[in-house]
Amino acid sequence: MKSLRPQATPLRRWAVFGSLTALTLATAVTGPASAAPFGTTQQASARSGDNVVLQWNQQILDALKVNNQGSEHPTPPPVGGRTLAIVHTAIYDAWAAYDRRALGTQLGGDLRRPAAERTKGNKRKAISFAAHRALSDLFPQQKATFDAKLEELGYDPAEADSAEAGTPVAVALKATDALLAVRHEDGSNQLGTPPYATPEGFYKPVNPPQDVAHFDKSKIVDVNHWVPLTVNGKTHPFITPQFAAAKPFLINDVDRYLPPPPPKYGSAASKRAIAQQEERNANLTERQKVIAEHWQYRDTTSSSIPQEWAAFVSKRDHHRLDDDVKLFFALNIAEGDEAVVDWKTKVHYDYGRPISMIRYAEAGKKIRGYAGPGKGTQVIDGSQWQPYLKTPAFAAYGSGHTGFTAAGAEVLKQFTGSDAYGGTGTVKAGSSAIEAGMPSKDIALKWNTFTDAAQEVGYSRLWGGVHWEFDHTEADAQGRKLARDVWAEAKQYFDGTHPDARS
């Protein structure tokens, strides 16, 4: 297969490593789900001088934050993955009309424009109106913000109301509307009330709710399965289980990516996992706490993490507009499909979290464990065991943080031809929102490779106490396998050979 970026050289590619902006924590940790990052890692935000792919990607991330202000939950991870995939597919499909070979995902080559029209200006305009159309559909209450972005870029949003056939605006709308028609029927329930609400009868937990402040072992029906948690009088249901049956973007057989079953409670493997998690929890270092808190991403979603890595690569490697269209398309198709595969895994196995399984195993026993913010490790009753982070409201197996970032890391590796990354950062002393005065000194962060970064994200969930080791290892294998398959298929769209697209 011909390289997507033949002009890049190893010297150019690796000579421009940059450092990240200092990381600062601004948002408190609340609720039972994953929480906010210490701050952005690579780019604080897209700048006006960035190409429109980077600018609209920032609009997606900003929209995900605004959409969930005031909610006790962050953007559900599969919703975040789906959102990024839809907008970047719309961007790609509009752009493909101005490439001599690329095929759109919905209309193939039907929208292809003559060679004389394949200008950077037309591409830029089509991309912007496609992103605007998709974002306005996904976040209708934020349409004024997206209108303002179009105006900032020099376009009139009213052009969408009377676009002449064959113009960049008309091309963008036709490509995006074809995509949205499919995604409205993909099983995610985007158009539900409220959006993405779980359809009646789709999922019923095996176990009744447990109040996190008053664990009652006798109420557990089957400790192997997920237990809904009641926090401050409110029970948090399994978030968006219907994504287990949602339509993927590129992959065909979701079951092909299902990992083997997790260990049964009482097995040797389960006992080892419990002992391992207890040991981690009782011996947390400042650095481990910092990393656990850094990668929470409460305000957006775990699928947002690889976006920062991709933005860093775009600037490091001096990407052209075409490069970023392809990179962010492949990256986010992988994120969207991992959302379906990971949620199928979670719903299919419905596996218990450490907070329920460890409490069940150790109730009535004295163990060493994290006693809460500022309290360090103490001897506690096993029924009071608690993780450093709040437990998300869905099953454990496998780790969504790992799956999303492993998929992202693999796409970036495939696109650039190397695993080399080069990001660095600093968490400032005293910036934690969980423990006052933590960390006691600045903590330096560095990721030599995409794999290093993804592995750290996965382990952050183990140090946070919300996942098992096998949640991480199996999701890592799953995400990478899926990403390699997505990349292979994405290249067929790029070079015009995809068998399902009409040329």
Side-chain angles (χ1 to χ4, degrees):
M1 195 69 66
K2 188 175 180 180
S3 170
L4 296 178
R5 301 172 57 246
Q7 81 285 359
T9 65
L11 178 61
R12 173 184 169 186
R13 187 174 291 146
W14 314 136
V16 288
F17 289 164
S19 62
L20 317 184
T21 48
L23 310 175
T24 57
L25 184 71
T27 308
V29 179
T30 59
S34 55
F38 277 78
T40 55
T41 49
Q42 277 72 293
Q43 323 297 335
S45 63
R47 295 186 296 271
S48 59
D50 291 342
N51 71 52
V52 290
V53 175
L54 294 179
Q55 292 190 56
W56 284 108
N57 193 64
Q58 187 64 47
Q59 286 289 305
I60 304 169
L61 302 182
D62 291 345
L64 289 169
K65 295 176 186 178
V66 174
N67 191 55
N68 290 276
Q69 283 184 354
S71 172
E72 294 184 60
H73 294 290
T75 300
V79 174
R82 176 182 183 271
T83 298
L84 286 156
I86 287 175
V87 180
H88 279 289
T89 299
I91 285 172
Y92 168 79
D93 283 354
W95 167 89
Y98 296 92
D99 185 79
R100 67 185 180 87
R101 293 185 303 171
L103 297 173
T105 64
Q106 306 304 313
L107 301 175
D110 291 355
L111 299 179
R112 186 148 356 254
R113 303 306 300 159
E117 295 182 22
R118 297 171 197 165
T119 64
K120 184 176 181 180
N122 284 344
K123 291 176 182 179
R124 185 177 184 271
K125 190 169 188 176
I127 285 169
S128 294
F129 274 87
H132 176 275
R133 183 74 143 205
L135 281 166
S136 298
D137 180 82
L138 291 160
F139 303 102
Q141 293 181 336
Q142 297 186 53
K143 184 175 182 298
T145 300
F146 310 136
D147 287 351
K149 184 62 184 179
L150 275 183
E151 292 170 353
E152 177 191 318
L153 293 170
Y155 306 124
D156 181 358
E159 286 190 65
D161 299 328
S162 57
E164 296 183 10
T167 63
V169 177
V171 167
L173 300 186
K174 190 168 184 178
T176 305
D177 287 349
L179 171 67
L180 294 175
V182 172
R183 298 326 299 186
H184 286 169
E185 304 297 328
D186 65 4
S188 67
N189 203 24
Q190 176 196 334
L191 303 182
T193 306
Y196 307 106
T198 302
E200 186 69 28
F202 189 90
Y203 172 87
K204 182 179 179 180
V206 171
N207 294 297
Q210 282 279 345
D211 191 321
V212 293
H214 304 286
F215 180 80
D216 186 348
K217 181 176 180 177
S218 68
K219 292 183 178 180
I220 298 290
V221 174
D222 187 343
V223 72
N224 288 288
H225 291 287
W226 180 72
V227 178
L229 298 179
T230 301
V231 181
N232 297 326
K234 181 173 182 179
T235 299
H236 300 269
F238 198 121
I239 297 174
T240 58
Q242 71 273 14
F243 269 79
K247 177 183 175 64
F249 287 82
L250 282 192
I251 64 172
N252 294 315
D253 184 4
V254 174
D255 289 346
R256 178 171 177 265
Y257 301 93
L258 280 179
K264 289 286 188 180
Y265 177 78
S267 67
S270 174
K271 290 177 180 177
R272 284 194 301 272
I274 289 172
Q276 187 178 50
Q277 190 52 266
E278 287 184 35
E279 190 277 334
R280 281 197 183 100
N281 178 265
N283 295 282
L284 287 171
T285 65
E286 272 199 350
R287 184 177 185 85
Q288 289 169 342
K289 290 178 180 180
V290 161
I291 290 172
E293 192 172 354
H294 170 58
W295 290 120
Q296 289 178 95
Y297 274 61
R298 180 187 188 280
D299 285 342
T300 51
T301 177
S302 46
S303 54
S304 298
I305 297 172
Q307 311 309 311
E308 297 182 355
W309 305 345
F312 180 89
V313 166
S314 173
K315 296 182 180 185
R316 184 195 72 184
D317 293 358
H318 307 294
H319 277 187
R320 302 167 303 164
L321 179 65
D322 294 2
D323 297 327
D324 276 343
V325 169
K326 294 175 181 178
L327 171 58
F328 280 87
F329 169 74
L331 172 67
N332 287 300
I333 288 293
E335 298 300 298
D337 280 356
E338 176 60 21
V340 175
V341 169
D342 187 61
W343 247 244
K344 176 65 178 288
T345 305
K346 288 183 180 294
V347 172
H348 180 76
Y349 291 115
D350 194 40
Y351 198 67
R353 291 275 184 174
I355 194 170
S356 58
M357 206 173 286
I358 291 176
R359 287 183 172 195
Y360 185 90
E362 305 291 28
K365 302 175 185 177
K366 296 299 182 183
I367 64 172
R368 292 177 69 249
Y370 173 69
K375 297 179 181 179
T377 296
Q378 298 181 16
V379 175
I380 59 174
D381 187 282
S383 65
Q384 301 302 306
W385 185 90
Q386 62 179 304
Y388 182 70
L389 302 178
K390 304 300 182 183
T391 297
F394 36 82
Y397 189 67
S399 169
H401 268 67
T402 297
F404 286 122
T405 54
E410 187 64 29
V411 169
L412 286 162
K413 177 182 174 181
Q414 296 293 327
F415 187 93
T416 64
S418 170
D419 199 26
Y421 173 23
T424 61
T426 301
V427 178
K428 303 302 291 183
S431 59
S432 172
I434 296 178
E435 295 198 321
M438 206 280 295
S440 59
K441 60 182 180 181
D442 290 358
I443 300 290
L445 303 175
K446 183 178 181 181
W447 309 282
N448 291 326
T449 65
F450 301 122
T451 295
D452 289 341
Q455 285 293 307
E456 182 178 276
V457 174
Y459 268 87
S460 77
R461 309 303 282 170
L462 305 182
W463 295 324
V466 298
H467 273 297
W468 306 105
E469 181 94 25
F470 44 77
D471 294 347
H472 165 66
T473 55
E474 293 297 338
D476 183 76
Q478 177 190 80
R480 288 183 179 279
K481 177 180 180 180
L482 180 147
R484 288 190 291 270
D485 290 348
V486 165
W487 173 246
E489 194 160 348
K491 288 194 295 183
Q492 293 180 322
Y493 279 108
F494 300 160
D495 65 16
T497 62
H498 196 283
D500 295 336
R502 294 171 295 161
S503 58

